[in-house]
Amino acid sequence: GMWWLIGGAGIFLAITAIACVGIALNYDRRVIAMRGTGTLSASEIERLHRAGERGLRCEITGVIECDSPMTAPMSNMICVAYSHQVVQHMESGVYSDLEDTRNSRATLGSWSRNREYTQVESPNERRARFYVRDASGRLLVDPAWATIDMPRTDERYESITSGVDTARPETVGAWNTEDALALGSPVYVLGYLGEVYGEAALVCHSDQEYPFVISYRSERELERSVSTRSNLLYLGSGIAGALGVVMIWLAAGRLF
């Protein structure tokens, strides 16, 4: 039984190593695209659009403007995109096996809180079309399907008290986090030249495998961050892969 477990763990590590390589390659594609694309001004991209260019990879830097911004739910920051995530800490009250169930129902003290787990809610994400303003003018960005790199704008833990009167799970606390891209903040965008209602815009490529990135960081900072993550994933993949192969080899030798 133990060798089957070791073999299973080895297979799991090998699959994890392959997954890490896949994610790292995706990061590498992003870095290559960033390095291989020159930064243009809003007016230069507009001129390319008028000349009939479509699908061209472009990058622009400037300040965020928006005609209809939104308000982030926690920080109340005026922004063009936000992500609000809640991680709930749950406990369920369970009757003690040593007590008689009818007596247990009568007294609160006989409950034992011995089941705990966390529940991550799907992030509440919203994003609006916005403009990037630079010295030459402004250019529309449609952020649908973009990878948006946003700073943390708020985080807090909220305790929730509730009566222990049923055996159903109850929330005892929730960790709230919010990331947002503020109106008026600097932004870097790597996207593809398209149009929205006839207006030049940076949009997602028709093949969503192509990187489309919006970041509050400068190109250099973002490139460094993505490269670091990629290198760490390759390192983790190498370690997990080597361990996995050794465990599979040992288990196979014992079992077969």
Side-chain angles (χ1 to χ4, degrees):
M2 183 186 74
W3 289 108
W4 281 110
L5 280 173
I6 290 170
I11 291 167
F12 174 76
L13 284 171
I15 293 168
T16 302
I18 293 165
C20 285
V21 169
I23 297 166
L25 286 170
N26 194 34
Y27 283 146
D28 287 348
R29 276 199 296 272
R30 203 177 299 174
V31 171
I32 289 164
M34 289 163 66
R35 286 177 181 166
T37 310
T39 304
L40 298 174
S41 68
S43 62
E44 285 171 328
I45 296 172
E46 288 270 9
R47 194 157 51 244
L48 288 166
H49 176 259
R50 284 196 300 272
E53 287 281 2
R54 297 293 183 276
L56 185 72
R57 190 170 65 217
C58 304
E59 64 181 26
I60 188 172
T61 60
V63 172
I64 293 171
E65 291 185 357
C66 184
D67 299 333
S68 50
M70 59 188 80
T71 305
M74 289 176 65
S75 62
N76 291 323
M77 179 182 284
I78 306 300
C79 62
V80 294
Y82 70 76
S83 174
H84 174 220
Q85 183 156 319
V86 181
V87 179
Q88 293 183 336
H89 174 219
M90 314 281 281
E91 288 185 359
S92 58
V94 182
Y95 293 123
S96 168
D97 294 336
L98 301 173
E99 302 263 352
D100 178 71
T101 304
R102 281 170 300 179
N103 292 337
S104 295
R105 288 187 187 280
T107 58
L108 215 61
S110 59
W111 284 74
S112 62
R113 289 172 168 273
N114 58 0
R115 290 186 190 169
E116 296 187 25
Y117 59 96
T118 55
Q119 179 177 312
V120 182
E121 290 186 4
S122 296
N124 172 24
E125 291 188 358
R126 289 192 61 199
R127 48 184 72 182
R129 288 177 185 148
F130 63 91
Y131 290 91
V132 178
R133 166 76 67 181
D134 65 13
S136 71
R138 69 179 197 169
L139 183 75
L140 183 64
V141 176
D142 184 348
W145 306 107
T147 300
I148 306 185
D149 174 37
M150 299 181 278
R152 179 61 44 88
T153 46
D154 204 347
E155 56 185 353
R156 66 180 82 124
Y157 185 81
E158 294 176 358
S159 295
I160 301 164
T161 50
S162 56
V164 185
D165 55 1
T166 69
R168 289 175 301 184
E170 53 183 338
T171 306
V172 296
W175 185 252
N176 287 264
T177 58
E178 177 197 273
D179 300 335
L181 202 56
L183 191 70
S185 63
V187 70
Y188 163 80
V189 182
L190 172 78
Y192 298 85
L193 181 53
E195 60 182 30
V196 176
Y197 300 124
E199 183 178 358
L202 290 187
V203 299
C204 182
H205 195 278
S206 54
D207 180 352
Q208 288 174 19
E209 288 297 307
Y210 285 67
F212 179 23
V213 183
I214 298 167
S215 177
Y216 75 99
R217 287 182 267 202
S218 70
E219 180 180 2
R220 185 172 291 178
E221 287 172 329
L222 182 62
E223 192 181 299
R224 194 181 303 127
S225 169
V226 174
S227 295
T228 301
R229 272 181 276 174
S230 173
N231 291 336
L232 287 171
L233 280 164
Y234 283 127
L235 178 63
S237 170
I239 294 166
L243 274 173
V245 167
V246 168
M247 289 167 81
I248 292 166
W249 178 73
L250 286 172
R254 291 283 181 166
L255 291 168
F256 306 108

